């Protein structure tokens, strides 16, 4: 993953910590001289975890025909990596189930459990050995939960829009934040020191064609496991089953009937695992049973014309309500896509699109164009000393000051974290410098009151002006020059403006 994306994720997302017993399990397994007995003794310290371990070891997901009667035998038969995966799955899900992000956490873990079982069963079916796939399947969408715990209502609206309009979630996330839940999941699990055999397939589980070759098969399996999780928890229809059957035949040479049998097995074994997570599995039924129930209902239908007309009228009302809901979702989505939730300024995506159009306009009319990049000096110290709520207040107050200082034609955006960007159309070098100096002084005079204490802040600004003779300059080149000027302002002592002009 590019370091710029990693840095952005760490700045925007707060990672949940790994439970203490999970850290001990990983530390034990990662030791060169670790033994099964040491791992067993550690798990045995938690009776509830030990009991669940034996249940799942005998569930049919992992075991053969012989019953596994004690933890030591389970470890000897299943091996260290499988035992590690099973133990971590219960520890992590139990810990995160206690967090209530205002989202249906039970459905999230039901889908995750189905995906974990599906990954394990598909791997067996295609004879692919990967002892980490069960845990990888369970944790593949942990990035969604992590973003939700940090972003709250803002991300919930994004999820609703994704479900209502059936758009690609990772595309919406990239447009809104500059990263997606695959990348967040990868970064989180890497910070927990889980191996690349888990973190890399999660990074690419929606785009397996992009995965490194050594992880491609595991990532493809994870992609199908995710689709089966959606099938059983998101009201997906028979058309999706046919798509899965066709893709399984194309990629793994599995005939449609065998895929259908596999889909049923996923539901049956998934119900067992969901119950072990202390969740209600009653709404998970094998796909063929759902088809049989539907056929019985069709046989019982004996509708009169009047009844059919009434049902059509009801259906039209539902369609009308859905259209209205989609219109509302579109409106919310447009706002989400272009607006920064904290400051109310335009976001990074809007800035990129607008800068491109303004550069084209300047070229067409042979006009000057100026760009200002600035960030808050020593902002990390504000967060460290006063807390993130204080830092947020400083950001909002500065955003308010900037909005009051610009013209209607200027565009102000939050570039990311504590960095901001201002596009000044038809503005020459002298005008841009004057504007930047006035803005620096305005911010210098702002005091944010936190618990009776005034917090002051300053900004460093990098300014670049492009003259008509350099209209062919690219957007990235212009941003890079402004960013370098901002860096120079920092190096020269902060709370100052550094300007440059491109062209003659």
């Amino acid at each position: 993953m590019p370091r710029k994306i990693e840095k952005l994720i760490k700045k925007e997302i707060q990672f949940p910590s790994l439970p203490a017993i999970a850290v001990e399990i990983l530390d034990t397994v990662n030791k060169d001289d670790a033994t099964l007995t040491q791992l067993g003794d550690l798990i045995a310290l938690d009776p509830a975890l030990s009991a669940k371990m034996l249940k799942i070891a005998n569930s049919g997901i992992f075991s053969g025909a012989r019953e596994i009667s004690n933890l030591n035998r389970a470890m000897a038969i299943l091996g260290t990596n499988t035992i590690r995966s099973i133990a971590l799955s219960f520890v992590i899900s139990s810990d995160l189930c206690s967090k209530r992000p205002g989202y249906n956490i039970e459905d999230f873990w039901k889908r995750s459990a189905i995906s974990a079982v599906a990954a394990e069963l598909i791997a067996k079916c295609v004879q692919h050995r990967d002892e980490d796939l069960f845990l990888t399947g369970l944790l593949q969408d942990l990035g969604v939960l992590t973003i939700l715990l940090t972003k709250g209502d803002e991300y919930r609206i994004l999820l609703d829009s994704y479900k209502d309009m059936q758009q690609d979630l990772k595309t919406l996330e990239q447009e809104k934040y500059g990263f997606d839940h695959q990348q967040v999941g990868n970064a989180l699990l890497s910070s927990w020191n889980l191996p690349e055999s888990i973190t890399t397939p999660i990074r690419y589980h929606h785009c397996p064609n992009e995965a490194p070759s050594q992880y491609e098969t595991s990532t493809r399996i994870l992609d199908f496991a995710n689709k089966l999780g959606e099938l059983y928890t998101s009201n997906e229809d028979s058309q999706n089953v046919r798509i899965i059957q066709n893709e399984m035949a194309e990629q793994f040479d599995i005939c449609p009937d065998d895929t259908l049998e596999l889909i049923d097995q996923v539901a049956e074994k998934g119900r067992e695992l969901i119950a072990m997570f202390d969740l209600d599995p009653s709404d998970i039924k094998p796909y063929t049973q759902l088809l049989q129930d539907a056929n019985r209902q069709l046989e019982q239908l004996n509708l009169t014309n009047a009844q059919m007309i009434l049902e059509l009228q009801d259906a039209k009302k539902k369609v009308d309500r859905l259209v209205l809901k989609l219109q509302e979702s579109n409106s919310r989505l447009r706002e989400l896509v272009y607006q920064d939730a904290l400051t109310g300024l335009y976001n990074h995506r809007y800035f990129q699109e607008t800068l491109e159009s303004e550069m084209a306009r300047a070229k067409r009319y042979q006009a000057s164009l100026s760009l200002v990049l600035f960030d808050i000096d020593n902002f990390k110290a504000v967060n460290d000393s006063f807390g993130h709520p204080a830092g947020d207040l400083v950001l909002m107050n500065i955003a308010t000051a900037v909005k009051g200082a610009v013209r209607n034609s200027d565009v102000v955006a939050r570039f990311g974290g504590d960095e901001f960007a201002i596009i000044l159309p038809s503005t020459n070098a002298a005008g841009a410098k004057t504007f930047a100096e006035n803005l620096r002084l305005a911010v210098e005079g702002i005091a944010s009151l936190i618990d009776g204490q005034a917090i002051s802040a300053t900004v460093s600004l990098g300014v670049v002006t492009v003259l008509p003779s350099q209209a062919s300059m690219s957007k990235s080149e212009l941003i890079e020059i402004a960013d370098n000027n901002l860096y120079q302002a920092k190096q020269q002592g902060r709370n100052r403006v550094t300007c440059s002009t491109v062209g003659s």
Side-chain angles (χ1 to χ4, degrees):
M1 189 190 311
R3 292 190 63 184
K4 184 177 181 180
I5 299 296
E6 289 184 4
K7 185 178 179 182
L8 182 60
I9 290 173
K10 288 178 182 178
K11 181 179 288 189
E12 294 288 335
I13 301 298
Q14 298 177 19
F15 287 168
S17 58
L18 190 62
I21 189 171
V23 174
E24 293 181 40
I25 291 171
L26 282 172
D27 288 345
T28 300
V29 172
N30 290 335
K31 290 178 181 176
D32 293 334
D33 58 349
T35 65
L36 283 172
T37 302
Q38 289 174 316
L39 182 57
D41 291 343
L42 178 60
I43 294 172
L45 294 174
D46 188 332
L49 178 59
S50 300
K52 287 183 177 181
M53 292 285 292
L54 280 177
K55 279 186 180 180
I56 195 171
N58 284 292
S59 67
I61 300 172
F62 296 99
S63 74
R66 299 171 62 184
E67 182 179 355
I68 300 174
S69 57
N70 58 67
L71 190 57
N72 288 335
R73 180 165 178 75
M75 298 181 68
I77 293 175
L78 299 179
T80 304
N81 284 344
T82 301
I83 288 295
R84 176 204 64 189
S85 293
I86 297 172
L88 288 177
S89 69
F90 283 118
V91 171
I92 293 172
S93 62
S94 176
D95 181 71
L96 292 179
C97 265
S98 64
K99 303 180 189 298
R100 296 284 170 173
Y103 181 73
N104 194 330
I105 196 73
E106 288 81 8
D107 281 355
F108 175 86
W109 285 112
K110 282 183 183 181
R111 174 176 167 179
S112 298
I114 292 289
S115 297
V117 170
E120 187 70 22
L121 294 181
I122 294 171
K124 288 180 180 178
C125 185
V126 302
Q127 298 181 339
H128 175 68
R129 183 171 177 79
D130 183 345
E131 294 176 333
D132 293 321
L133 264 177
F134 177 81
L135 182 60
T136 309
L138 185 83
L139 302 181
Q140 65 177 321
D141 277 332
L142 200 56
V144 171
L145 187 57
T146 304
I147 299 174
L148 188 61
L149 288 169
T150 300
K151 296 297 185 180
D153 289 339
E154 173 186 314
Y155 188 60
R156 251 190 310 277
I157 295 174
L158 194 85
L159 288 175
D160 289 341
S161 298
Y162 145 69
K163 291 174 183 176
D164 291 341
M165 294 180 288
Q166 298 183 342
Q167 293 194 12
D168 180 50
L169 179 58
K170 65 182 177 65
T171 301
L172 294 177
E173 292 166 338
Q174 287 283 357
E175 291 174 348
K176 176 65 178 173
Y177 302 117
F179 52 79
D180 59 49
H181 67 275
Q182 299 175 118
Q183 295 167 326
V184 171
N186 172 274
L188 170 64
L189 298 179
S190 296
S191 74
W192 286 355
N193 293 320
L194 267 68
E196 284 190 8
S197 56
I198 293 174
T199 61
T200 299
I202 285 176
R203 165 66 183 86
Y204 297 101
H205 71 273
H206 287 305
C207 45
N209 291 334
E210 300 175 14
S213 57
Q214 68 267 39
Y215 299 118
E216 184 176 354
T217 300
S218 292
T219 308
R220 289 190 184 280
I221 291 173
L222 206 59
D223 179 37
F224 280 109
N226 178 69
K227 291 173 181 175
L228 291 179
E230 288 185 348
L231 177 70
Y232 280 119
T233 59
S234 302
N235 299 316
E236 300 288 344
D237 58 28
S238 58
Q239 182 178 356
N240 296 82
V241 173
R242 287 194 294 273
I243 292 172
I244 292 172
Q245 288 174 307
N246 292 337
E247 291 180 349
M248 289 285 280
E250 179 182 341
Q251 297 188 31
F252 295 123
D253 198 25
I254 300 176
C255 71
D257 288 344
D258 288 345
T259 296
L260 197 58
E261 183 178 347
L262 174 66
I263 291 172
D264 279 353
Q265 289 176 1
V266 167
E268 293 163 0
K269 303 302 181 185
R271 285 170 60 90
E272 292 183 56
L273 183 60
I274 288 169
M276 291 177 205
F277 283 130
D278 299 322
L279 299 173
D280 179 13
S282 60
D283 57 338
I284 306 297
K285 297 180 180 179
Y287 181 71
T288 52
Q289 182 181 337
L290 295 175
L291 290 180
Q292 292 168 2
D293 292 345
N295 284 332
R296 280 194 295 270
Q297 291 174 5
L298 285 173
E299 291 171 359
Q300 295 168 0
L301 288 176
N302 184 17
L303 300 177
T304 64
N305 288 337
Q307 288 174 312
M308 292 180 67
I309 291 172
L310 286 174
E311 290 195 355
L312 287 172
Q313 290 173 340
D314 288 342
K316 183 180 183 303
K317 292 177 182 178
K318 290 179 181 177
V319 170
D320 291 340
R321 287 196 296 271
L322 179 60
V323 169
L324 181 60
K325 187 176 181 180
L326 287 174
Q327 290 172 342
E328 292 171 350
S329 294
N330 271 321
S331 177
R332 291 199 305 270
L333 185 58
R334 279 193 297 271
E335 183 176 311
L336 273 175
V337 166
Y338 288 122
Q339 187 178 62
D340 176 66
L342 177 66
T343 63
L345 300 176
Y346 290 118
N347 61 15
H348 185 270
R349 179 192 176 188
Y350 186 84
F351 162 77
Q352 292 284 353
E353 294 180 359
T354 304
L355 180 59
E356 192 164 357
S357 64
E358 288 296 340
M359 291 182 73
R361 190 198 309 272
K363 179 179 180 180
R364 186 164 60 249
Y365 294 106
Q366 288 292 289
S368 298
L369 175 69
S370 294
L371 173 64
V372 180
L373 290 185
F374 72 91
D375 69 8
I376 303 172
D377 297 327
N378 301 311
F379 184 68
K380 185 177 184 299
V382 175
N383 281 332
D384 291 344
S385 301
F386 301 98
H388 287 279
D392 289 347
L393 180 61
V394 171
L395 288 171
M396 289 187 288
N397 286 341
I398 290 178
T400 300
V402 177
K403 283 188 284 189
V406 298
R407 305 166 299 183
N408 291 336
S409 58
D410 300 335
V411 176
V412 186
R414 187 180 179 191
F415 197 73
D418 62 319
E419 192 169 359
F420 298 78
I422 307 173
I423 303 170
L424 303 172
S426 302
T427 303
N428 60 23
K433 182 177 182 180
T434 299
F435 169 84
E437 283 289 353
N438 289 339
L439 180 59
R440 183 187 66 80
L441 293 172
V443 172
E444 198 175 35
I446 296 173
S448 301
L449 195 63
I450 300 292
D451 295 332
Q453 183 171 353
I455 303 173
S456 298
T458 61
V459 293
S460 298
L461 303 93
V463 183
V464 59
T465 299
V466 185
L467 300 180
S469 61
Q470 292 295 316
S472 61
M473 171 175 283
S474 71
K475 177 178 65 175
S476 59
E477 289 173 331
L478 183 63
I479 294 173
E480 183 178 359
I481 294 171
D483 193 53
N484 287 336
N485 288 343
L486 170 57
Y487 177 78
Q488 291 298 322
K490 292 281 191 186
Q491 293 296 105
Q492 293 168 12
R494 298 186 174 89
N495 191 22
R496 63 187 62 235
V497 177
T498 300
C499 303
S500 64
T501 302
V502 180
S504 55

